[in-house]
Amino acid sequence: MERIKCPKCGSMRAWLVRDVGGVMQRCHCGLARPVVQQAEGNITIISATRAADVMLPEKGTKTRRCLMAVARSWPAIITTGAVAESAGLQNKETSSLLITLMARGLVERVSERRGLLGGSEWRVTTATRDLLKP
């Protein structure tokens, strides 16, 4: 079992547990926080990163290109398809990168439109806007 950093106590003793309702992050210090919740067939992914711990991806990576495509659209909302086109990525790859960015607390999903033309709608978080300000 891979250990991850606990946001509550700061140790590397936290782990992820899958249960009926989704995925929980747990730690020996007593942390029990939902990371992914499933209710009535819908899956909701909750950011596993506190706003103070949000960090931008390294320059030159696909993750950074994807984030910057979303950030350039601010204050407008952008779809997955538009992000893919703007960043020069494939749609499936873009979807994975956006989910990764959401888990890191860098973007948020405004509406889930899985299977519809254009895909889900996204925008950057306030923490990301603060990091991108000159």
Side-chain angles (χ1 to χ4, degrees), residues 7-96:
K8 184 176 177 183
C9 68
S11 73
M12 291 299 290
R13 298 184 299 170
W15 67 95
L16 298 176
V17 177
R18 180 177 295 185
D19 63 7
V20 177
V23 178
M24 298 283 290
Q25 183 179 8
R26 297 195 163 271
C27 182
H28 294 292
C29 71
L31 174 77
R33 181 172 73 171
V35 178
V36 177
Q37 291 180 330
Q38 184 171 0
E40 299 177 21
N42 295 325
I43 297 174
T44 304
I45 298 177
I46 302 165
S47 174
T49 308
R50 294 181 307 169
D53 296 333
V54 172
M55 292 177 21
L56 295 174
E58 291 194 29
K59 292 182 179 181
T61 62
K62 289 181 180 181
T63 309
R64 179 70 173 243
R65 284 191 349 224
C66 186
L67 174 63
M68 297 312 292
V70 177
R72 280 191 298 270
S73 72
W74 176 256
I77 295 169
I78 189 167
T79 63
T80 303
V83 172
E85 186 177 319
S86 177
L89 302 168
Q90 296 177 358
N91 282 343
K92 287 186 178 185
E93 181 179 37
T94 305
S95 298
S96 297

Side-chain angles (χ1 to χ4, degrees), residues 103-114:
R104 290 183 182 181
L106 292 164
V107 299
E108 58 189 357
R109 184 173 20 215
V110 176
S111 69
E112 184 174 336
R113 299 171 21 140
R114 186 178 301 166

